[in-house]
């Protein structure tokens, strides 16, 4: 038969587990933590998208989320970390939007480019906060010497390279598709940035049409290189 001392010890050992499993408002501790992250991320998109990267502080994000600053440290080490998380979320949403549009196009350079560019431009125009985070602030943030390379941009460049491989299966091996993919994404984003800074003045169809010279030139070059190898 266990002693009173051992029973008391067991009760104290069980106490932390019972406390951590306690539910408030029908949510567990883990669920509440995830809920706070969603609030902070939503707040980050709001303040970065309206104030701009250089003006936002941790206090701004917490005030928008209506959470005490101590909760910020559960998920982010700095305001820059919160910006990166907001950038990554919006990049994934943009990639989903462009991917869905391109899935409905023929496997042909011009049609895929038109579908993807049009979808991306609509995505940022629908919510100017997206334009601020994905284009305006990103143009300087990811070039900073202390920041690691942009993983989302690299992913998009690799996706472009993959598509090029499908469209041009006989492309000579000396052509570096990863470099070309990065160039295509970079030039297109820079043009989109100018469009945003002009206040979305030009119609989306006109912006897309003006960018087609890049893709038409790429198609002519690839076709010529394939012909030379035959």
């Amino acid at each position: 038969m266990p002693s009173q001392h051992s029973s008391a010890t067991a009760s104290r050992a069980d106490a932390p587990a019972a406390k951590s499993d306690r539910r408030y408002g029908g949510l567990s501790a883990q669920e509440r933590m995830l809920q706070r992250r969603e609030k902070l991320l939503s707040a980050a998109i709001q303040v970065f998208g309206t104030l701009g990267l250089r003006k936002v502080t941790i206090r701004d994000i917490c005030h928008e989320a209506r959470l005490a600053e101590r909760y910020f440290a559960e998920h982010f080490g700095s305001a820059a970390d919160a910006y990166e998380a907001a950038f990554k979320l919006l990049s994934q949403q943009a990639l989903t939007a462009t991917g869905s549009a391109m899935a409905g196009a023929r496997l042909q350079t011009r049609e895929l480019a038109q579908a993807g560019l049009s979808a991306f431009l609509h995505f940022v125009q629908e919510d100017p906060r997206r334009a601020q985070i994905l284009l305006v602030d990103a143009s300087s943030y990811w070039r900073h010497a202390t920041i690691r390379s942009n993983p989302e941009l690299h992913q998009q460049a690799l996706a472009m390279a993959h598509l090029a491989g499908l469209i041009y299966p006989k492309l000579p091996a000396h052509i570096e598709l990863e470099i070309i993919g990065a160039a295509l994404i970079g030039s297109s984003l820079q043009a989109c940035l100018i469009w945003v800074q002009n206040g979305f003045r030009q119609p989306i169809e006109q912006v897309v049409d003006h960018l087609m010279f890049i893709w038409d030139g790429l198609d002519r070059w690839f076709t010529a290189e394939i012909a030379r190898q035959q």
Side-chain angles (χ1 to χ4, degrees):
M1 181 175 181
S3 66
Q4 290 183 342
H5 175 74
S6 61
S7 298
T9 302
S11 297
R12 288 196 297 271
D14 292 341
K19 183 177 180 180
S20 64
D21 291 339
R22 188 175 301 167
R23 303 178 72 87
Y24 294 94
L27 300 176
S28 68
Q30 182 65 22
E31 290 169 336
R32 293 195 302 276
M33 181 180 291
L34 291 175
Q35 187 180 69
R36 288 194 292 269
R37 188 182 191 281
E38 290 179 2
K39 287 183 178 181
L40 288 166
L41 192 51
S42 177
I45 291 173
Q46 174 63 20
V47 296
F48 283 120
T50 54
L51 300 178
L53 176 61
R54 294 183 179 181
K55 296 182 179 179
V56 173
T57 65
I58 292 175
R59 180 174 296 180
D60 292 328
I61 298 172
C62 293
H63 177 76
E64 179 67 28
R66 296 186 178 182
L67 291 172
E69 290 186 35
R70 70 179 182 274
Y71 292 122
F72 185 91
E74 286 181 337
H75 307 285
F76 309 111
S78 65
D81 286 346
Y83 169 79
E84 287 193 28
F87 178 90
K88 182 173 184 177
L89 176 60
L90 292 179
S91 292
Q92 291 171 340
Q93 293 174 355
L95 193 60
T96 298
T98 56
S100 296
M102 293 171 72
R106 290 189 303 164
L107 192 60
Q108 191 267 348
T109 300
R110 172 175 270 267
E111 288 194 22
L112 287 170
Q114 287 175 324
L117 287 168
S118 179
F120 179 77
L121 292 172
H122 276 103
F123 179 79
V124 296
Q125 189 181 50
E126 286 171 0
D127 188 341
R129 298 177 305 172
R130 299 169 179 169
Q132 180 70 36
I133 293 171
L134 290 177
L135 295 169
V136 178
D137 287 331
S139 64
S140 59
Y141 181 80
W142 293 107
R143 292 193 182 104
H144 196 281
T146 63
I147 302 298
R148 62 183 178 273
S149 61
N150 183 338
E152 278 67 43
L153 185 60
H154 179 66
Q155 180 184 5
Q156 292 170 14
L158 289 178
M160 284 292 179
H162 176 68
L163 279 175
L166 294 177
I167 299 170
Y168 308 96
K170 297 182 179 180
L171 197 64
H174 72 269
I175 293 180
E176 293 288 346
L177 290 178
E178 185 175 351
I179 294 175
I180 293 170
L184 292 172
I185 295 295
S187 58
S188 298
L189 289 178
Q190 185 62 33
C192 291
L193 172 62
I194 297 300
W195 175 65
V196 168
Q197 291 174 329
N198 287 339
F200 308 107
R201 188 177 71 241
Q202 298 88 352
I204 287 177
E205 294 75 15
Q206 183 180 7
V207 178
V208 172
D209 185 62
H210 277 54
L211 285 170
M212 282 302 102
F213 79 93
I214 303 173
W215 306 87
D216 289 340
L218 179 75
D219 181 64
R220 287 194 296 270
W221 178 38
F222 279 4
T223 301
E225 288 295 312
I226 291 171
R228 281 177 53 192
Q229 299 297 312
Q230 294 176 345

